């Protein structure tokens, strides 16, 4: 039996102290311990992007991040963005442009979309597509997602 | 990539009914990460399951050694007493039945077959137990190649069969005349790779035994909950009422979740035995290594034509690699039985002969993936049409126009007696040719590219028979023949309409489109319509969501149920407003007296029914504002949607890489209930088709090991691989459905492999290269070119 | 796909880290390579040593000739120009095309180099650029030339008790030209062929590198008259692979004006 490890960080602005097995991924921690189930598991080997959340302000893949490695970090999941103005614009755009169908890739997709909008305000279609390529979607063919991001980038 | 998306979207239909580009109601929860997928369900005391799976493709199962001191946490076949194997037998003559034990018994027949079930408080610990469980297998020769499996089998998947053939079919005809008079005869061998559907969410099951209801309650990511219930009842030997199947939010299906799983049966048994809730969530490696189960076809095909390129006849030997077992409910007959009836598609011809085999191999059991056999037959047929065009030096789109069924032929019974309801196929091709700008592409090809890449143009046409009913599926002999679809409609005391349907929505937006239908019939605000689906306890029986049937079948049931409710509402309102019911109409949530401003809201009428029955007419229907109504389509043969896809590619002959420069689709889905959602289905299907065309394959080595077991090897197209797609719509209503709508959900995934292969072959024709195998990987293209040097 | 059990430690300095590096412990930096391997149970170390808190592995310094980057410098930091770039844009170009932004936010240059996946970018790019890897072990500090650092498939010059601490990279002169070309089947995935070329006349560098081979990257010390087809033929038996590597080298050389 391995020892459990105590780790402290913040999740969605709330301080969290947990005693966990070191092998626990951040994804499983937020989903199972914190009951924040918006972050989805699609591959658990860092390819599909469904698990994308924000660590210290930057998108990261929670399936290959150890919860134990997040000591002192600020983690934000999709649930933290209910009142975020940029995310609100993206939500409106995603809905208007039909950028989601089954919804499984959507939280991760929104995390990446928000990063694009904030970090690359001048991104053209090719650049948007490139930046999205780490988030797989099997339903939409990406058309609505690209248009939604373009819509937010174009808006005043 | 084109900057714009073709024509501007048409003006939205007024209002929020059929035809409107209404934003989806279900978006609200998904955009906030509040979807409830099966992996989000947590029950108190829940235990987690991991499976021990066969590392070998074919072998005698000698022994399973459970981990010491943990034997009571690991279960094998012998522990699952009275659990019957999964059997999906086709009614077709000569079909050989397979029995799939839910945990391997005697033999293992594919890599990934379930051998043992491990239970622990966490999934990680369950996987630890699985690692500690030893499986002793004696290797048998693996049956990997479907042609070899049939003609020179190294072993038998099911010994008692005497061969490896599930089913053989023959559509017979005499081609001797055609062979004699044809000006040209072309023969090809065409192959499509084995694939995986790869929805973003894997399968998953959460299951518990409810003592109060004496019922097994199973949450499972499923497309067809009533079918899962039926299958579970068969395997567990209990009545269907003892089982409640709930399909919650599901992260994509595409056919992958239209199946009774051995995992479901195992967990059902386990929940009952342990008296505790249990959970199993499929991870991606399990998915890829154990469940690459679709699309693998082999065609030996010949086409006969006259000097003008008119197709005279077609003959084909087609083989489908159906894997180790017949999956429930579609069975191992579906694709092979479909092939012969759909290969000719929308083309006219005089003679046609087709033999098919559904072959058993040591691979995962075949499941119908979006498009099913249509994708394979489109690939085969469309490659032949282009080969014909090249041979005769004709433009491929013109050869198509000359051979396709014409609008004046409609309704049309083709050579396999498929009944085409409506449409203008040549017009779709003409428009696609115009949108892709054929003459401009030919000029560009003549000029050559400064970077040395080769440009190519390819077309493909398909038709998608959808929402077909009883007689067609009975003819294909599938064990689960769909019947009639019902809807239970209930208007609540506050005027909210609840619709219960047996199908399930997992991305198609039924919560929105069916509300739009309700709006068209009753004028009710779609926000005041609640769809109940996915729960066998709450919904009428249905074979579920598959075969692009929901818009027609569930839509028909909803529309008809709303009409019934509407009549009842009018009868009550007529009494209250003291007019005749025929003077009433529905408008914006109200029942209005035509030509006046007198009206009652639906809520006001409902309030009278529920709270003031003393005001009801004396002859009121006591069934009130709740009705179970069935839908009967006018014909059993369903609808035919169709499209023409056209692609322009640039091939880097050094690396073999293919870039899609332009992609257009002209499609006809009849009346579009929500054009935005229809476009979404087309784009999504096309992206999957691009995956089939260029990226996705599951290769197996000689010992039956799958070689692409992570997403690093099984390549799914991302936003850079899928181009911007331009779509134009013809809308020829079907004469047979409630609003003229047709099933369209699969079409996008049918045409792209053919369009892209034709484009690549067009690019490489001057170099003498023709590729007849998908996916057209860079290696295949480059090696074909190297072979010509 | 959950990992097998392991212990986790996060030492705050180099000596503490070194004392933990025994008995098949694995070093964790960004976790973008180790994470999947743990989840797939490809590796099952008893202990994972997280080195991101160690000051010597973070930060950067600069002198007229070189730039030194801590081993835990992320690809994103290099991409964004948050650390000095000695390579006249080569490193920023390479960094910005590694995988995807979410991976680059965590993945580190030191981690990538030490992992030595033949299809990774840094082993090839750093062999091309030139410089040294600064390594510490209980005996002390030493340096290994970057073109000799990767020795084979997932193998480096690091011994079991070594810790890669930093990279000291040579600055290119103003007139230096570079080329870097890789072939990926899809955006962000591991490439099937990598080639780099560097022409720095002031320092007499006319170097090229071929990567995504089945072992260490192949450095061509003088690329001025090299024949890409011949170089590729020496390294690959498979005709398609030969072609890919030859094409990559040709294109990289052209970019660096060495063709």
């Amino acid at each position: 039996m391995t020892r459990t490890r105590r780790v402290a960080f913040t999740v969605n602005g709330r301080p969290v102290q947990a005693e966990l097995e070191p092998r626990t991924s951040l994804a499983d921690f937020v989903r199972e311990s914190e009951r924040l189930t918006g972050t989805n598991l699609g591959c658990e080997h860092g390819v599909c992007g469904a698990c994308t959340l924000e660590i210290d302000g930057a998108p990261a893949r929670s399936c290959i991040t150890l919860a134990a490695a997040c000591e002192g970090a600020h983690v934000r999941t999709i649930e933290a963005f209910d009142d975020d103005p940029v995310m609100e614009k993206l939500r409106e755009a995603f809905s208007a442009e039909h950028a989601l169908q089954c919804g499984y890739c959507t939280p991760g997709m929104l995390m990446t979309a928000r990063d694009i909008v904030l970090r690359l305000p001048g991104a053209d279609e090719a650049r948007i597509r490139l930046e999205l390529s780490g988030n797989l979607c099997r339903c939409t063919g990406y058309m609505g997602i690209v248009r939604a991001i373009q819509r937010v980038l174009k808006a005043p | 990539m084109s900057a714009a998306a073709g024509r501007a979207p048409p003006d939205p239909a007024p209002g929020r009914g059929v035809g409107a580009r209404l934003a989806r109601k279900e978006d609200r929860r998904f955009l906030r990460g509040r979807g409830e997928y099966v992996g989000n369900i947590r029950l108190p005391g829940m235990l987690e399951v991991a499976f021990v799976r066969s590392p070998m493709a074919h072998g005698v199962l000698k022994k399973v050694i459970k981990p010491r001191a943990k034997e009571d946490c690991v279960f094998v076949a012998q522990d699952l007493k009275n659990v019957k194997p999964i059997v999906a037998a086709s009614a077709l003559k000569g079909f050989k039945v397979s029995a799939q034990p839910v945990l391997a018994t005697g033999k293992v027949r594919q890599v990934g077959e379930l051998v043992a079930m491990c239970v622990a408080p966490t999934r990680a610990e369950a996987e630890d137990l699985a690692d500690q469980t030893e499986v002793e297998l004696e290797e048998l020769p693996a049956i990997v190649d479907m042609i070899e499996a049939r003609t020179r089998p190294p072993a038998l998947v099911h010994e008692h069969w005497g061969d490896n053939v599930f089913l053989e079919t023959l559509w017979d005809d005499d081609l001797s005349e055609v062979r004699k008079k044809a000006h040209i005869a072309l023969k090809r061998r065409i192959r499509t790779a084995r694939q995986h559907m790869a929805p973003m969410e894997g399968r998953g099951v959460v299951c518990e035994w409810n003592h109060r209801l004496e019922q097994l309650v199973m949450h499972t990511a499923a497309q067809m909950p009533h079918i899962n219930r039926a299958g579970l009842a068969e395997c567990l030997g209990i009545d269907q009422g003892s089982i409640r199947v709930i399909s919650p939010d599901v992260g994509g299906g595409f056919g992958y979740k239209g199946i009774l799983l051995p995992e479901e049966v195992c967990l059902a048994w386990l929940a009952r035995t342990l008296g505790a809730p249990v959970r199993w969530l499929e991870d991606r490696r399990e998915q890829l290594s154990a469940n690459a189960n679709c699309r693998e076809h082999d065609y030996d095909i010949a086409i006969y034509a006259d000097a003008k390129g008119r197709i005279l006849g077609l003959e084909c030997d087609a083989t489908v690699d159906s894997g180790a077992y017949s999956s429930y409910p579609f069975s191992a007959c579906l694709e092979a039985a479909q092939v012969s009836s759909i290969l000719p598609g929308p083309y006219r011809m005089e003679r046609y002969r087709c033999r098919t085999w559904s072959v058993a191999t040591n691979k995962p059991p075949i499941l119908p993936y979006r498009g099913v056999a249509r994708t394979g037959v489109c690939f085969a047929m469309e490659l032949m049409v282009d080969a014909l065009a090249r041979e005769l030096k004709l433009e491929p789109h013109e050869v198509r126009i000359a051979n396709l069924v014409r609008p004046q032929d409609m309704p049309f019974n083709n050579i396999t007696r498929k009944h085409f309801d409506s449409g203008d196929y040549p017009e779709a091709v003409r428009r696609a040719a115009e949108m892709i700008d054929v003459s401009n592409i030919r000029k560009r090809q003549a000029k050559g590219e400064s970077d040395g890449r080769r440009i190519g143009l390819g077309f493909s046409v398909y038709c998608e028979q959808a929402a077909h009913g009883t007689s067609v599926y009975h003819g294909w002999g599938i064990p689960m023949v769909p019947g009639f679809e019902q809807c239970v409609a209930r208007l609540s005391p506050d005027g909210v309409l609840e619709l219960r349907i047996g199908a399930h929505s997992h991305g198609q937006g039924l919560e929105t489109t069916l509300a739009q239908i309700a709006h068209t019939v009753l004028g009710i605000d779609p926000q005041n319509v609640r769809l109940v689906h996915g729960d066998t306890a709450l919904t009428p029986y249905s074979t579920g969501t598959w075969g692009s049937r929901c818009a027609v079948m569930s839509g028909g049931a909803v529309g008809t149920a709303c009409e019934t409710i509407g009549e009842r509402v009018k009868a009550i309102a007529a009494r209250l407003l003291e007019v005749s019911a025929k003077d009433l109409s529905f408008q914006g949530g109200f029942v209005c007296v035509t030509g006046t401003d007198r009206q009652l809201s639906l809520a006001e009428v409902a309030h009278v029914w529920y709270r003031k029955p003393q005001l009801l007419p004396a002859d009121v229907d006591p069934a009130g504002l709740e009705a179970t109504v069935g839908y009967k389509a006018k014909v059993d043969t369903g609808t035919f949607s169709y499209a023409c896809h056209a692609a322009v590619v640039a091939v880097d002959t050094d690396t073999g890489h293919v870039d899609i420069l332009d992609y257009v689709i002209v499609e006809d889905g009849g009346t579009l209930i929500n054009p935005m959602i229809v476009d979404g289905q087309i784009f999504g299907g096309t992206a999957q088709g691009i995956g089939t065309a260029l990226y996705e394959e599951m290769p197996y080595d000689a010992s039956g090991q799958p070689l692409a077991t992570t997403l690093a090897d099984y390549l799914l197209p991302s936003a850079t691989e899928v181009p911007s797609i331009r779509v134009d719509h013809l809308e020829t209503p079907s004469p047979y459905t409630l609003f003229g709508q047709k099933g369209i959900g699969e079409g996008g995934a049918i045409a792209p492999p053919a369009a892209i292969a034709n484009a690549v072959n067009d690019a490489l024709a001057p170099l003498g290269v023709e590729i007849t195998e998908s996916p057209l990987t860079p290696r295949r293209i480059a090696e074909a070119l190297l072979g010509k040097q | 796909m959950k990992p097998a059990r392991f212990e986790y430690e996060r030492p705050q300095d180099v000596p503490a880290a070194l004392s933990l590096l025994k008995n098949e412990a694995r070093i964790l930096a960004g976790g973008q390579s180790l994470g999947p391997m743990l989840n797939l149970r490809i590796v099952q170390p008893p202990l994972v040593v997280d080195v991101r808190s160690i000051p010597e592995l973070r930060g950067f310094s600069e002198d007229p000739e070189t730039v030194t980057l801590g081993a835990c410098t992320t690809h994103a930091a290099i991409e964004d120009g948050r650390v000095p770039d000695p390579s006249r844009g080569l490193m920023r170009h390479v960094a910005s095309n590694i995988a995807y932004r979410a991976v680059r936010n965590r993945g580190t240059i030191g981690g990538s180099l030490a992992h030595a996946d033949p299809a990774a970018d840094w082993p090839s790019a750093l062999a091309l650029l030139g410089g040294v890897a600064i390594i510490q072990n209980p005996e002390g500090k030493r340096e290994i030339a970057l073109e000799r650092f990767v020795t084979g498939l997932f193998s480096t010059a690091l011994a079991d008790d070594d810790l890669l601490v930093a990279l000291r990279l040579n600055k290119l002169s103003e007139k230096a030209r570079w080329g870097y070309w890789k072939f990926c089947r899809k955006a962000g995935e591991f490439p099937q062929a990598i080639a780099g070329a560097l022409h720095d006349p002031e320092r007499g560098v006319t170097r090229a590198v071929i990567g995504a081979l089945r072992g260490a990257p192949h450095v061509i010390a003088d690329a001025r008259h090299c024949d890409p087809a011949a170089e590729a033929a020496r390294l690959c038996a498979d005709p398609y692979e030969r072609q890919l590597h030859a094409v990559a080298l040709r294109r990289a050389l052209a970019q660096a004006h060495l063709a």
Side-chain angles (χ1 to χ4, degrees):
Chain A
M1 279 299 294
T2 46
R3 293 167 301 171
T4 55
R5 189 177 170 86
R6 196 167 302 144
V7 65
F9 50 103
T10 67
V11 178
N12 298 347
R14 233 175 17 87
V16 155
Q17 302 218 29
E19 186 96 28
L20 41 73
E21 271 203 313
R23 61 175 166 174
T24 310
S25 70
L26 179 63
D28 280 335
F29 178 74
V30 302
R31 288 178 53 77
E32 304 293 336
S33 302
E34 295 298 299
R35 300 301 297 138
L36 295 164
T37 53
T39 303
N40 292 320
L41 290 173
C43 73
E44 291 185 290
H45 48 281
V47 177
C48 79
C51 70
T52 307
L53 43 60
E54 200 185 77
I55 302 177
D56 293 332
R61 281 149 151 53
S62 60
C63 70
I64 50 175
T65 303
L66 297 176
C70 291
E71 179 72 34
H74 295 276
V75 173
R76 288 211 289 173
T77 67
I78 187 72
E79 291 89 341
F81 292 86
D82 282 352
D83 299 320
D84 178 82
V86 176
M87 202 60 105
E88 178 56 31
K89 290 202 181 97
L90 282 165
R91 282 193 290 262
E92 277 169 19
F94 266 52
S95 195
E97 299 290 349
H98 192 31
L100 63 151
Q101 292 182 23
C102 81
Y104 200 74
C105 76
T106 303
M109 200 64 82
L110 283 169
M111 287 296 189
T112 297
R114 187 174 180 278
D115 177 62
I116 293 171
V117 163
L118 291 173
R119 188 170 52 91
L120 305 166
D124 62 6
E125 183 182 337
R127 187 64 190 272
I128 291 170
R129 287 177 176 278
L130 186 64
E131 294 290 327
L132 282 176
S133 50
N135 287 80
L136 296 176
C137 173
R138 247 347 216 175
C139 291
T140 66
Y142 307 103
M143 285 291 287
I145 299 169
V146 171
R147 284 189 191 148
I149 294 171
Q150 287 176 312
R151 195 166 155 131
V152 173
L153 285 174
K154 254 196 295 259
Chain B
M1 271 188 309
S2 57
R7 290 185 357 170
D11 288 340
R16 289 155 294 164
V18 171
R21 297 180 75 91
L22 198 64
R24 296 191 336 160
K25 297 171 63 183
E26 43 267 83
D27 288 355
R28 197 176 304 142
R29 63 185 183 276
F30 295 129
L31 288 168
R32 286 166 179 75
R34 296 333 198 272
E36 190 182 66
Y37 304 97
V38 66
N40 299 355
I41 296 170
R42 192 151 250 286
L43 302 176
M46 189 170 77
L47 298 170
E48 304 258 22
V49 170
F51 286 97
V52 177
R53 294 175 178 272
S54 170
M56 208 178 264
H58 198 197
V60 177
L61 180 60
K62 310 227 76 159
K63 210 178 352 173
V64 179
I65 303 166
K66 303 182 185 183
R68 213 153 48 86
K70 288 283 185 181
E71 290 88 348
D72 59 350
C73 299
V74 177
F75 303 88
V76 293
Q78 291 81 344
D79 300 317
L80 270 57
K81 306 218 189 318
N82 302 320
V83 174
K84 299 200 202 74
I86 295 172
V87 176
S90 166
L92 290 178
K93 189 157 160 295
F95 183 84
K96 296 197 194 69
V97 179
S98 67
Q100 179 181 15
V102 299
L103 290 175
T105 307
K107 263 181 36 157
V108 294
R109 294 182 175 87
Q110 60 153 114
V111 169
E113 180 162 357
L114 302 185
V115 175
M117 175 167 55
C118 305
V119 196
T122 66
R123 171 68 181 229
E125 288 166 279
E127 289 186 21
D128 295 340
L129 284 177
D131 276 358
Q132 292 155 28
T133 303
E134 284 174 51
V135 180
E136 277 182 28
L137 292 164
E138 190 182 284
E139 196 160 13
L140 293 170
I143 303 142
V144 181
D145 179 271
M146 61 173 129
I147 305 298
E148 212 177 80
R150 176 169 66 80
T151 56
R152 292 183 325 268
L156 296 181
V157 180
H158 302 280
E159 277 84 3
H160 64 283
W161 287 7
D163 63 22
N164 285 320
V165 179
F166 278 102
L167 179 76
E168 183 176 333
T169 74
L170 172 64
W171 181 283
D172 208 357
D173 202 352
D174 178 6
L175 267 84
S176 49
E177 276 288 318
V178 155
R179 279 191 214 108
K180 270 205 294 269
K181 72 176 180 184
H183 172 80
I184 179 170
L186 294 177
K187 254 184 141 300
R188 293 290 189 274
R189 187 72 187 283
I190 296 174
R191 254 240 143 136
T192 59
R194 200 169 199 78
Q195 271 190 248
H196 191 279
M197 295 92 149
M200 292 316 297
E201 180 208 30
R203 296 164 171 162
V205 182
V206 172
C207 191
E208 67 172 341
W209 179 259
N210 183 311
H211 289 278
R212 177 176 74 87
L213 299 171
E214 288 193 290
Q215 195 180 54
L216 182 79
V217 180
M218 176 177 287
H219 305 261
T220 176
Q223 298 176 217
M224 309 151 69
H226 295 270
I227 299 299
N228 289 56
R229 184 175 77 159
L232 283 167
E234 285 168 33
C235 291
L236 297 170
I238 58 180
D239 73 288
Q240 291 198 26
S242 305
I243 303 171
R244 177 179 180 183
V245 175
I246 302 169
S247 187
D249 283 328
V250 171
F254 317 116
Y256 188 59
K257 294 168 182 167
I259 182 172
L260 171 72
L261 295 172
E263 290 91 342
E264 283 166 340
V265 181
C266 287
L267 259 79
W269 176 89
L270 191 67
R272 232 176 141 191
T273 305
L274 295 184
V278 287
R279 176 169 86 170
W280 166 75
L281 299 177
E282 180 186 55
D283 66 39
R284 189 65 71 175
R285 184 176 44 188
E286 282 180 281
Q287 199 189 76
L288 288 171
S289 58
N291 289 290
N293 53 16
C294 55
R295 290 266 191 271
E296 194 170 5
H297 292 192
D298 184 292
Y299 298 86
D300 213 328
I301 180 169
I303 196 169
Y304 302 94
D306 67 16
K308 291 213 186 80
R310 294 271 163 80
I311 300 170
L312 300 172
L314 190 69
E315 58 183 342
C316 183
D317 279 353
T319 310
V320 174
D321 187 327
S322 299
Y325 298 106
S326 182
S327 66
Y328 185 108
F330 288 104
S331 93
C333 82
L334 179 62
E335 276 195 35
Q338 262 193 2
V339 166
S340 43
S341 68
I342 63 177
L343 178 60
Y347 291 104
R348 293 169 291 128
M349 61 189 72
E350 294 171 16
R351 294 283 172 186
Y352 168 68
R353 182 178 190 276
C354 183
R355 241 182 347 168
T356 76
W357 292 270
S358 168
V359 173
T361 60
N362 289 124
K363 291 181 196 161
I366 193 168
L367 267 190
Y369 172 31
R370 193 176 198 171
V372 199
R374 306 185 203 82
T375 304
V377 304
C378 176
F379 193 68
M381 189 68 204
E382 293 299 293
L383 260 61
M384 296 310 285
V385 171
D386 259 41
L388 189 61
R390 272 195 299 277
E391 193 73 24
L392 294 169
K393 303 209 191 330
L394 297 170
E395 279 289 358
H397 70 279
E398 281 166 11
V399 173
R400 286 174 171 82
I401 289 169
N403 283 289
L404 284 167
V405 59
R406 298 157 304 192
Q408 60 265 38
D409 301 324
M410 294 295 183
F412 175 69
N413 292 323
N414 79 349
I415 192 145
T416 54
R417 300 195 283 271
K418 285 282 171 202
H419 182 79
F420 287 61
D421 53 356
S422 65
D424 191 346
Y425 291 66
E427 178 63 14
V429 177
R430 258 177 240 118
R431 280 208 207 178
E434 198 185 295
M435 280 173 78
I436 205 86
D437 201 347
V438 177
S439 58
N440 196 32
I441 301 298
R442 295 302 179 212
K443 287 198 198 102
R444 183 174 175 178
Q445 285 174 305
K447 192 156 166 245
E449 300 291 298
S450 57
D451 60 10
R453 293 195 298 175
R454 296 208 161 238
I455 305 297
L457 167 64
F459 288 85
S460 78
V461 175
Y462 71 88
C463 59
E464 178 186 356
Q465 183 181 25
H468 27 317
T470 309
S471 64
V472 182
Y473 282 99
H474 170 67
W476 283 340
I478 72 167
M480 163 205 78
V481 180
F484 302 111
E485 204 72 16
Q486 295 94 35
C487 168
V488 179
R490 174 200 293 170
L491 192 62
S492 72
D494 48 13
V496 170
L497 182 68
E498 187 182 83
L499 300 170
R500 296 164 182 245
I501 59 160
H504 181 266
S505 191
H506 41 272
Q508 301 87 340
L510 292 176
E511 292 172 29
T512 303
T513 51
L514 297 179
Q516 289 177 254
I517 288 176
H519 175 84
T520 290
V521 177
L522 292 172
I524 187 169
D525 186 343
Q527 291 301 323
N528 289 336
V529 178
R530 173 186 293 275
L531 186 71
V532 177
H533 60 110
D535 187 337
T536 58
L538 301 177
T539 60
Y541 178 86
S542 168
T543 54
T545 300
W546 53 278
S548 303
R549 61 192 299 273
C550 290
V552 171
M553 295 299 193
S554 306
V558 164
T560 313
C562 286
E563 280 169 7
T564 300
I565 295 289
E567 278 157 33
R568 302 210 193 144
V569 166
K570 278 185 184 172
I572 298 170
R575 175 77 177 85
L576 298 173
L577 291 166
E578 291 171 334
V579 296
S580 165
K582 59 176 167 50
D583 294 331
L584 293 172
S585 61
F586 291 109
Q587 195 70 237
F590 291 86
V591 194
C592 312
V593 182
T594 321
T596 78
D597 58 5
R598 299 180 65 220
Q599 61 184 28
L600 286 171
S601 70
L602 292 173
E604 284 170 316
V605 175
H607 185 78
V608 170
W609 166 264
Y610 285 103
R611 302 296 288 270
K612 300 196 170 127
Q614 67 273 17
L615 300 177
L616 295 169
D619 60 351
V620 73
D621 186 335
L625 300 180
E626 176 155 347
T628 299
V629 178
Y631 171 69
K632 196 166 182 197
K634 288 195 188 125
V635 299
D636 226 1
T637 46
T639 62
F640 275 85
S641 65
Y642 60 95
C644 179
H645 287 215
V648 178
V649 302
V651 184
D652 182 329
T653 50
D654 283 335
T655 61
H657 183 78
V658 176
D659 250 334
I660 303 172
L661 301 183
D662 197 8
Y663 201 99
V664 309
I665 300 174
V666 178
E667 80 89 47
D668 189 337
T671 305
L672 306 182
I673 296 173
N674 184 322
M676 182 188 77
I677 287 181
V678 170
D679 281 350
Q681 293 298 304
I682 294 169
F683 295 143
T686 302
Q688 289 181 311
I690 289 170
T692 299
L694 296 172
Y695 299 99
E696 295 178 49
E697 74 179 305
M698 178 60 74
Y700 285 80
D701 71 14
S703 62
Q705 292 293 324
L707 298 177
T709 56
T710 69
L711 292 181
D713 295 309
Y714 190 84
L715 301 180
L716 297 175
S718 76
T720 42
E721 287 74 51
V722 181
S724 208
I725 297 163
R726 301 188 280 143
V727 183
D728 191 15
H729 295 284
L730 306 167
E731 287 181 50
T732 317
S734 170
Y736 302 133
T737 62
L738 204 59
F739 301 99
Q741 75 273 37
K742 300 186 177 187
I744 55 89
E746 295 169 83
I750 296 173
I756 292 169
N758 280 339
V760 171
N761 286 337
D762 181 60
L764 302 181
L767 301 172
V769 164
E770 181 187 73
I771 301 186
T772 55
E773 186 180 0
S774 73
L776 281 76
T777 60
R779 177 179 277 273
R780 283 199 177 102
I781 291 173
E783 283 179 348
L785 287 164
L786 283 169
K788 286 287 172 181
Q789 282 169 12
Chain C
M1 275 161 45
K2 315 298 177 189
R5 285 198 176 87
F6 54 83
E7 307 278 359
Y8 169 95
E9 294 293 341
R10 189 158 175 172
Q12 301 293 307
D13 55 49
V14 171
L18 292 177
S19 71
L20 294 165
L21 292 183
K22 48 182 183 269
N23 302 332
E24 297 174 45
R26 281 268 177 170
I27 295 173
L28 174 71
Q32 304 303 285
S33 299
L34 186 61
M37 291 170 73
L38 288 170
N39 287 355
L40 287 160
R41 298 198 180 200
I42 291 171
V43 296
Q44 301 189 22
L47 169 67
V48 165
V49 180
D50 188 335
V51 295
R52 288 171 304 138
S53 294
I54 301 172
E56 287 91 325
L57 273 66
R58 295 144 67 116
F60 56 86
S61 63
E62 190 173 359
D63 67 37
E65 296 287 309
T66 65
V67 168
T68 300
L69 299 177
C72 284
T73 305
T74 63
H75 312 314
I78 297 169
E79 170 184 11
D80 291 349
R82 285 181 265 140
V83 297
D85 176 10
S87 65
R88 307 240 134 239
L90 168 63
M91 287 184 73
R92 288 188 72 168
H93 172 81
V94 168
S96 65
N97 287 298
I98 292 173
Y100 315 101
R101 181 69 182 187
V103 171
R104 301 197 286 275
N105 282 333
R106 307 286 291 179
T108 66
I109 188 170
S112 168
L113 188 63
H115 181 58
D117 187 322
D121 288 279
W122 289 125
S124 296
L126 294 176
L128 179 71
L129 185 56
V132 295
I134 300 167
I135 297 161
Q136 261 191 277
N137 70 6
E139 268 91 75
K141 236 182 197 176
R142 69 184 198 286
E143 296 179 357
I144 296 182
L146 283 169
E147 53 263 36
R148 285 194 295 283
F149 184 82
V150 174
T151 55
L153 191 65
F154 298 105
S155 337
T156 66
L158 291 171
D160 284 344
D161 58 354
D162 278 331
L163 178 65
L164 174 63
V165 170
L167 304 168
R168 193 170 68 240
L169 305 160
N170 302 329
K171 280 186 179 172
L172 296 181
S173 32
E174 227 178 280
K175 296 228 173 70
R177 302 200 70 109
W178 53 264
Y180 192 83
W181 196 89
K182 58 179 180 176
F183 178 64
C184 301
R185 282 197 58 192
K186 55 171 264 195
E189 281 304 293
F190 281 109
Q192 307 204 304
I194 297 173
L198 182 55
H199 186 199
D200 190 349
E202 238 176 83
R203 303 161 93 252
V205 174
T206 53
R207 192 156 52 220
V209 70
I210 296 177
L213 300 163
R214 279 189 188 74
H218 175 76
V219 178
I220 300 165
D222 185 352
R224 272 172 304 179
H225 305 292
C226 80
D227 174 7
E231 293 287 343
R234 266 198 284 278
L235 298 165
C236 309
D238 176 84
Y240 176 57
E241 284 174 22
R242 258 187 219 179
Q243 180 161 296
L244 275 185
H245 288 288
V247 167
L249 183 56
R250 206 173 293 130
R251 293 182 186 185
L253 290 169
Q255 285 173 9
H257 295 212
L258 271 176

